[in-house]
C-alpha cells in the first residue's frame, strides 16, 4: 500500500544567497571553444553573453524548481491541506510561492536588456559592465524576495515531517483526553512507536501506525490529547487531532480513563465524548474504557452504567485490544469496490 506525504519528496530548496552563489559559480566556470581567428573583442562579447545567459538560466531554474516541485495545495488530500493551514498558513504559503515565481519574468527582462547592451557594446569595459550590472540587478531582486524563499524552505521542513497516510486504507483514529492511554493502545497494536509517559500532553503530533486485522491492512492514528473546550480556544496541537478525526477517520476509538488517573474526571471526559459525537455524527465511534485494572470498582460500575456499550481494555497489558481492533474494522465498509460495481451491474439486469 502506497503511503504518501506529498511534502516528503520535495528536492532541496536553496536560499536566495545560495542561488546567487551557485549561479555565479556556474557562470564563471563556463568554458567554450572559440575560433582563434575571431577578434579578441568578439571573443569577449561571446563570453560575456554566455556568462550572463548561464547566470540567468541557473537562477530561474532554481526559483522555478522551488515553486514547481512544491505540491499544489489545491490538489492535496484535505488532511494535508488542513495540517498545512495549521502549521504553516496556506495563504502565506501561496503568497510566497507566487512572489518567488513572479521574479522569473523580471529576470528575463533584465537579462534581455543587458544582453542587448553587450551585443551593441564597442569595447571590453562596456561589455563587462553590462554583464555585472545585470547580475547585480538579478541578485538584488533575489535578495528582495529572500524572506519568501526562506518561508518556503521552512514550510517544506515542517510539512515533510508529517506522517505518510495511505489514503485508501481503512483508518481508525484514536482520540480522547490527554494521558488516558491512546499511545499505549496504538503502540500495542501497530507498527507505530509513540512516546508514552505518565504525564499529559506527551503526544504532540499525529502519528500513524499500521497493522493487519483479519487479512486487511489497516492504519491506526494516534492523536494528541484534546481538552473539553470550544474549537476557537483549541491550540495548534489539538487542532491537528481534530483534523485527523475529520479527514482520516473511518472509525473513531474514543478512549476514556474511568480511573481518572489521567488527571481529568469522568464527567469532563463524557463532555468531550458528547462533543466529538456531535462534531462527527456520521462516523462509527467505539467507546473504550481503558485502565480498568486500576479503576476503583465503584467508579467502574458507574462508568459501565453511563456507557453500557463500551469496550473495556487494559492497554498496557494488551487485554481486550485484539477484540477491539476487530470490532473497529468491522465498522468500516471493506467490500471491495469491484464487488460493489458487480452488485450494481447485476441489479440493472433484474
Ligand atoms: N494502569 C494502567 N496504566 C495505563 C494503561 N494504559 C496506559 N497507561 C498509563 O497511562 C499513562 C499515559 O499513557 P499514554 O499512552 O502516554 O497516554 P496518551 O493518551 O497517549 O497521553 P497523551 O499523549 O499525553 O495525550 C502512561 O503512564 C501509561 O503507562 C492501562 O491500561 N493501565
Ligand atoms: Mg500519547
Amino acid at each position: 500500500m502506497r503511503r504518501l506525504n506529498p511534502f516528503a519528496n520535495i528536492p532541496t530548496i536553496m536560499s536566495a544567497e545560495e542561488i546567487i552563489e551557485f549561479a555565479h559559480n556556474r557562470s564563471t566556470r563556463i568554458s567554450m571553444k572559440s575560433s582563434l581567428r575571431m577578434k579578441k573583442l568578439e571573443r569577449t562579447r561571446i563570453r560575456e553573453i554566455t556568462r550572463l545567459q548561464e547566470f540567468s538560466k541557473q537562477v530561474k531554474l532554481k526559483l522555478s524548481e522551488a515553486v514547481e516541485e512544491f505540491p499544489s495545495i489545491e490538489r492535496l488530500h484535505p488532511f494535508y491541506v488542513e495540517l498545512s493551514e495549521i502549521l504553516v498558513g496556506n495563504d502565506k504559503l501561496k503568497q510566497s510561492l507566487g512572489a518567488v515565481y513572479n521574479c522569473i519574468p523580471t529576470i528575463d527582462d533584465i537579462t534581455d536588456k543587458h544582453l542587448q547592451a553587450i551585443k551593441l557594446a564597442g569595447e571590453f569595459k562596456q561589455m563587462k559592465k553590462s554583464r555585472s550590472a545585470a547580475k547585480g540587478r538579478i541578485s538584488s531582486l533575489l535578495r528582495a524576495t529572500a524572506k519568501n524563499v526562506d518561508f518556503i524552505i521552512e514550510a517544506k521542513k515542517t510539512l515533510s515531517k508529517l506522517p505518510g497516510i495511505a489514503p485508501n486504507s481503512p483508518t481508525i483514529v484514536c482520540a480522547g483526553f490527554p494521558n488516558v492511554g491512546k499511545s499505549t493502545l496504538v503502540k500495542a497494536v501497530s507498527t507505530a512507536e509513540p512516546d508514552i509517559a505518565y504525564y499529559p500532553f506527551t503526544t504532540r503530533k499525529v502519528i500513524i501506525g499500521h497493522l493487519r486485522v483479519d487479512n486487511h491492512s489497516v492504519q491506526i492514528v494516534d492523536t494528541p490529547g484534546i481538552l473539553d473546550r470550544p474549537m476557537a480556544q483549541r491550540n495548534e496541537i489539538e487542532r491537528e487531532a481534530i483534523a485527523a478525526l475529520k479527514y482520516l477517520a473511518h472509525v473513531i476509538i474514543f478512549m476514556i480513563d474511568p480511573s481518572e488517573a489521567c488527571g481529568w474526571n469522568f464527567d469532563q471526559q463524557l463532555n468531550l465524548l458528547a462533543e466529538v459525537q456531535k462534531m462527527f455524527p456520521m462516523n462509527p465511534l467505539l467507546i473504550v474504557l481503558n485502565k480498568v485494572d486500576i479503576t476503583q470498582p465503584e467508579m467502574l460500575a458507574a462508568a459501565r452504567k453511563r456507557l453500557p456499550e463500551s469496550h473495556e481494555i487494559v492497554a498496557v497489558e494488551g487485554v481486550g485490544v485484539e477484540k477491539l481492533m476487530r470490532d473497529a474494522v468491522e465498522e468500516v465498509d471493506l467490500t471491495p469496490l469491484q464487488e460493489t460495481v458487480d452488485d450494481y451491474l447485476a441489479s440493472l439486469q433484474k
Side-chain angles (χ1 to χ4, degrees), residues 34-268:
S34 67
S35 162
L36 281 175
R37 273 179 300 167
M38 206 185 264
K39 279 199 195 126
K40 197 169 168 223
L41 188 67
E42 291 318 305
R43 279 212 305 274
T44 307
R45 194 187 310 281
I46 292 174
R47 193 184 64 217
E48 297 305 334
I49 288 175
T50 316
R51 279 185 172 177
L52 175 51
Q53 280 172 332
E54 182 65 14
F55 182 80
S56 170
K57 183 176 122 189
Q58 294 300 339
V59 170
K60 287 194 302 178
L61 193 71
K62 291 294 160 203
L63 292 182
S64 57
E65 271 174 13
V67 177
E68 283 162 9
E69 304 276 354
F70 216 96
S72 157
I73 301 291
E74 280 79 18
R75 271 183 262 142
L76 295 178
H77 186 287
F79 172 69
Y80 289 107
V81 178
E82 182 90 8
L83 271 271
S84 169
E85 174 65 23
I86 294 169
L87 298 171
V88 174
N90 288 337
D91 282 348
K92 180 82 177 74
L93 181 58
K94 281 186 209 160
Q95 249 171 34
S96 298
L97 290 165
V100 169
Y101 208 65
N102 281 340
C103 291
I104 292 176
T106 316
I107 294 172
D108 277 332
D109 274 357
I110 298 171
T111 310
D112 287 350
K113 268 193 203 117
H114 289 82
L115 282 177
Q116 206 54 32
I118 299 173
K119 281 176 192 160
L120 296 174
E123 28 176 299
F124 299 106
K125 252 193 175 161
Q126 272 176 311
M127 292 177 191
K128 286 188 182 166
K129 213 171 133 191
S130 292
R131 188 247 302 153
S132 33
K135 283 171 78 170
R137 285 188 59 191
I138 293 171
S139 304
S140 331
L141 186 73
L142 272 182
R143 287 186 179 121
T145 204
K147 60 177 188 329
N148 293 310
V149 180
D150 290 346
F151 188 84
I152 297 171
I153 294 172
E154 274 309 303
K156 181 206 152 178
K157 218 196 274 167
T158 307
L159 298 173
S160 65
K161 289 187 202 137
L162 292 177
I165 57 165
N168 301 320
S169 272
T171 306
I172 303 165
V173 176
C174 190
F177 257 84
N179 218 17
V180 295
K182 302 176 297 298
S183 300
T184 307
L185 170 68
V186 170
K187 189 168 175 169
V189 299
S190 78
T191 54
E193 292 280 338
D195 288 340
I196 292 166
Y198 59 87
Y199 48 80
F201 306 111
T202 307
T203 305
R204 306 189 66 79
K205 60 179 188 191
V206 169
I207 295 168
I208 301 194
H210 300 267
L211 66 149
R212 289 194 78 77
V213 181
D214 293 338
N215 248 349
H216 296 292
S217 174
V218 176
Q219 56 192 354
I220 183 161
V221 183
D222 185 18
T223 61
I226 41 182
L227 301 178
D228 166 30
R229 56 180 170 186
M231 197 61 195
Q233 285 172 23
R234 294 202 182 287
N235 61 26
E236 257 181 31
I237 298 174
E238 288 175 283
R239 285 197 285 143
E240 276 193 43
I242 304 284
L245 285 167
K246 189 166 171 188
Y247 296 113
L248 299 181
H250 293 112
V251 182
I252 298 171
I253 286 184
F254 189 89
M255 188 177 275
I256 287 181
D257 173 1
S259 76
E260 301 183 354
C262 65
W264 283 273
N265 67 40
F266 184 67
D267 283 343
Q268 285 172 303

Side-chain angles (χ1 to χ4, degrees), residues 292-303:
V292 295
D293 57 325
I294 55 163
T295 308
Q296 298 296 327
E298 63 282 6
M299 289 173 101
L300 188 56

